[in-house]
């Protein structure tokens, strides 16, 4: 007990870890609901239906990168609050426009998308994608505003409402035998509830600055942060495409059942990332941008402290999941899902690196080193594509293919991690040296 108390005190030491604990506690509530209800969902929906849903979610996440053209990532950066609220408005306008464009894209290409992934019934619910995209985009934009405000309890509450409404909607529609449409419709409900919740929670801080919003200022800021859509958007597209390439490949090569089994494994392995990794990323982004705006203190100490602690926690959690999965999946999720436990074992190393590396990619935005992010994500995507080609050429089984994807995908994350450190090392040092030189010149002038 004494050791546990010391460990807890060490983890929660300082504002950074207290803020992480706030987000983790909020996320934990929604994840507990997800963990408890997933065995019910796997009995209400078949692996084939989960396979179609996994493709829908993958398309959503891939298109969501362009929802605001990445302008929401710039919201925490300006010193001036009026600039930040204009970036917020610009991002919301772009989200609305992109949602309309996605409706046109679904209308034109729904049959092609369903045929290429070998899931014909995808056409039945793909028309819901624009609604999911709008809810996703609004939630992301307002969540980034809350990051700037360091309103972590509000962020946690928004995520809880979103996840809980999604799960309960999917269960209700499953009990009514809606089939795969129930999974997708529940996802839409969750996005809408989540976005409306963060809007309500953040509106008070936005309302006092509504009079400062104008199109001219938005145009100036769009030009000032143009590298976010011009470069960062491509980095993010490659990042999301890399994350969802395996499910597209599995569905197209081994069928919707294999895609469903993969999705369940991914869902289980994503729990620690959603619980800890995502929360750490939000707080690290806020802390790093605030520190960069207000001081010349290097971020090295915060960076390495976070990496080492996150590595230790991640390895412990994922090892427990890997050992327990093959023995428990059949009992917990039903006999039809036993093979998903084996999927988890070969995917584990990839999700470990994902959990550790994703938070430090905030460095690319903090130091505006978008070109390095683009290089890193391009290398990661090429490595995963190489894994796909090797698997096809060698006629690997689904398990062998996932192992190949996991190993080469992990190598890709190591490249991204190195470049995130390099961005901090070069950009951070350069800026600090410049400020010091300016200070020396000012002193000499006196």
């Amino acid at each position: 007990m004494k050791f546990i108390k010391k460990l807890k005190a060490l983890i929660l030491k300082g504002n950074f870890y207290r803020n992480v604990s706030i987000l983790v506690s909020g996320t934990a509530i929604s994840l507990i609901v997800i963990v408890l209800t997933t065995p019910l969902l796997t009995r209400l929906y078949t692996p084939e239906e989960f396979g179609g849903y996994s493709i829908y979610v993958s398309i959503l996440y891939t298109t969501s990168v362009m929802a605001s053209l990445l302008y929401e990532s710039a919201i925490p950066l300006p010193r001036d609050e009026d600039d930040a609220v204009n970036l917020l408005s610009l991002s919301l306008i772009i989200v609305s426009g992109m949602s309309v464009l996605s409706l046109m894209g679904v209308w034109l290409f729904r049959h092609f998308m369903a045929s290429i992934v070998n899931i014909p019934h995808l056409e039945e619910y793909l028309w819901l994608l624009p609604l999911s995209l709008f809810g996703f985009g609004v939630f992301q934009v307002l969540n980034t505003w809350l990051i700037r405000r360091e309103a972590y309890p509000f962020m946690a509450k928004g995520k809880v409402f979103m996840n809980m409404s999604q799960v309960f909607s999917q269960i209700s529609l499953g009990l009514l035998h809606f089939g795969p449409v129930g999974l997708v419709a529940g996802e839409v409900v969750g996005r809408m509830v989540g976005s409306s919740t963060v809007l309500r929670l953040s509106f008070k801080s936005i309302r006092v600055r509504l009079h400062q919003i104008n199109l001219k200022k938005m145009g100036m800021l769009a030009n000032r942060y143009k590298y976010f859509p011009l470069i960062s958007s491509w980095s993010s597209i490659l990042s999301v495409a890399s994350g969802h390439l395996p499910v597209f490949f599995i569905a197209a090569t081994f069928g919707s059942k294999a895609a469903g089994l993969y999705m369940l494994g991914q869902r289980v392995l994503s729990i620690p990332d959603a619980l800890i990794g995502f929360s750490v990323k939000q707080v690290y982004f806020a802390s790093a941008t605030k520190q960069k705006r207000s001081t010349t203190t290097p971020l090295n100490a915060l960076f390495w402290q976070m990496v080492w602690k996150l590595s230790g926690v991640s390895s412990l959690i994922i090892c427990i999941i890997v050992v327990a999965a093959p023995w428990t999946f059949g009992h917990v999720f039903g006999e039809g899902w036993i093979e998903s436990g084996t999927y988890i074992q070969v995917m584990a190393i990839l999700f470990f690196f994902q959990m550790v590396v994703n938070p430090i990619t905030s460095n690319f935005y903090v130091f505006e080193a978008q070109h390095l992010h683009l290089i890193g994500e391009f290398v990661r995507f090429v490595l995963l594509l190489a894994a796909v080609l090797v698997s096809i050429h060698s006629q690997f089984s689904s398990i062998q293919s996932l192992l190949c994807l996991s190993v080469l995908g992990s190598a890709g994350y190591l490249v991204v991690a190195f470049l995130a450190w390099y961005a901090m090392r070069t950009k951070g040092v350069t800026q600090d040296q410049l400020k010091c030189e300016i200070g020396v010149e000012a002193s000499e002038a006196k």
Side-chain angles (χ1 to χ4, degrees):
M1 287 294 293
K2 194 173 182 181
F3 171 75
I4 293 174
K5 287 181 180 179
K6 287 183 178 181
L7 181 62
K8 184 178 178 182
L10 178 64
I11 292 174
L12 298 180
K13 185 180 179 181
N15 289 331
F16 180 90
Y17 295 102
R18 278 196 295 271
N19 291 334
V20 169
S21 69
I22 292 172
L23 288 183
V24 167
S25 61
T27 305
I29 296 172
S30 57
L31 286 178
I32 288 170
V33 174
I34 290 174
V35 169
L36 293 177
T37 55
T38 296
L40 179 56
L41 287 173
T42 55
R43 286 167 171 81
L44 291 173
Y45 300 97
T46 66
E48 289 81 4
E49 289 170 338
F50 260 97
Y53 176 55
S54 69
I55 295 298
Y56 176 90
V57 172
S58 295
I59 294 172
L60 170 62
Y61 275 86
T62 303
T63 55
S64 68
V65 173
M66 299 300 291
S68 68
L69 299 180
L70 266 291
Y71 275 116
E72 92 277 359
S73 297
I75 291 173
L77 300 181
R79 294 176 185 271
D80 191 340
E81 290 293 318
D82 294 340
D83 287 349
V85 80
N86 275 281
L87 278 170
L88 171 72
S89 304
L90 173 65
S91 300
L92 290 174
I93 290 171
I94 295 172
V95 166
S96 301
M98 287 297 181
S99 300
V100 174
L101 285 177
S102 70
L103 179 61
M104 296 170 59
V106 167
W107 179 260
L108 292 172
F109 301 109
R110 63 189 186 283
H111 178 70
F112 171 75
M113 287 188 280
S115 62
I116 199 170
V117 294
N118 196 28
I119 302 179
H121 60 76
L122 186 65
E123 286 189 65
E124 298 174 13
Y125 43 82
L126 202 56
W127 57 272
L128 289 169
L129 185 68
L131 292 175
S132 289
L133 183 63
F134 180 77
F136 190 105
V138 171
F139 183 88
Q140 284 294 98
V141 171
L142 293 173
N143 197 62
T144 310
W145 171 261
L146 292 175
I147 289 174
R148 179 183 178 88
R149 306 290 300 175
E150 297 187 78
Y152 301 113
F154 287 172
M155 293 167 63
K157 185 180 288 188
K159 192 164 187 181
V160 167
F161 274 74
M162 180 178 68
N163 289 336
M164 290 183 70
S165 58
Q166 174 185 318
V167 169
F168 287 125
S169 297
Q170 289 174 333
I171 290 173
S172 301
L173 294 171
L175 291 170
L176 294 172
H177 305 290
F178 270 70
V181 177
L183 285 168
V184 175
E187 203 280 337
V188 174
V189 171
R191 297 294 173 191
M192 290 302 177
V193 171
S195 58
S196 61
T197 301
V198 290
L199 176 60
R200 177 174 56 84
L201 294 172
S202 58
F203 187 69
K204 185 177 179 180
S205 62
I206 297 170
R207 183 178 56 189
V208 296
R209 293 181 174 80
L210 287 176
H211 64 284
Q212 298 293 339
I213 298 172
N214 64 79
L215 292 174
K216 184 178 179 182
K217 174 69 78 170
M218 280 191 269
M220 291 172 58
L221 290 166
N223 183 63
R224 162 66 181 85
Y225 294 102
K226 62 186 178 183
Y227 291 109
F228 281 85
L230 292 178
I231 300 178
S232 293
S233 60
W234 292 106
S235 305
S236 297
I237 288 172
L238 286 171
S239 176
V240 174
S242 298
H244 295 279
L245 179 63
V247 72
F248 286 120
F249 167 64
I250 293 295
T253 308
F254 302 104
S256 59
K257 181 178 180 180
L261 294 170
Y262 172 82
M263 185 182 187
L264 179 60
Q266 184 183 47
R267 189 182 183 110
V268 172
L269 283 173
S270 295
I271 288 174
D273 187 32
L275 180 63
I276 300 172
F278 179 79
S279 301
V280 170
K281 183 175 183 178
Q282 305 294 294
V283 178
Y284 177 75
F285 188 25
S287 301
T289 51
K290 183 179 180 181
Q291 188 170 320
K292 180 172 174 286
R293 288 197 309 263
S294 58
T295 72
T296 59
T297 306
L299 293 176
N300 297 42
L302 177 64
F303 175 87
W304 286 113
Q305 188 179 34
M306 183 191 67
V307 167
W308 293 124
K309 287 187 177 180
L310 198 54
S311 297
V313 173
S314 302
S315 59
L316 177 62
I317 293 173
I318 290 182
C319 281
I320 292 172
I321 294 174
V322 167
V323 171
W327 307 98
T328 59
F329 261 50
H331 300 290
V332 175
F333 301 111
E335 291 185 4
W337 298 89
I338 292 175
E339 192 178 355
S340 188
T342 307
Y343 280 29
I344 277 185
Q345 292 181 311
V346 297
M347 293 158 54
I349 185 174
L350 178 62
F351 277 80
F352 167 78
F353 282 106
Q354 175 182 304
M355 189 172 172
V356 175
V357 174
N358 273 344
I360 63 177
T361 58
S362 297
N363 277 1
F364 298 121
Y365 300 107
V366 172
F367 297 104
E368 297 186 52
Q370 289 90 344
H371 62 292
L372 293 178
H373 194 194
L374 180 59
I375 293 170
E377 294 299 345
F378 178 76
V379 171
R380 188 161 77 92
F381 181 77
V382 168
L383 287 171
L384 283 169
L385 193 59
V388 168
L389 295 175
V390 168
S391 299
I392 294 172
H393 177 74
S394 302
Q395 297 183 331
F396 284 163
S397 66
S398 58
I399 300 296
Q400 291 172 324
S401 297
L402 280 176
L403 181 59
C404 187
L405 285 162
S406 188
V407 171
L408 289 181
S410 300
Y413 272 121
L414 287 173
V415 173
V416 173
F418 170 77
L419 291 173
W421 168 83
Y422 185 75
M424 176 186 67
R425 179 73 176 172
T426 55
K427 295 277 184 176
V429 169
T430 301
Q431 289 173 1
D432 292 342
Q433 285 177 344
L434 179 60
K435 288 177 183 176
C436 290
E437 288 171 6
I438 291 173
V440 170
E441 289 175 2
S443 300
E444 289 175 352
K446 291 180 182 179

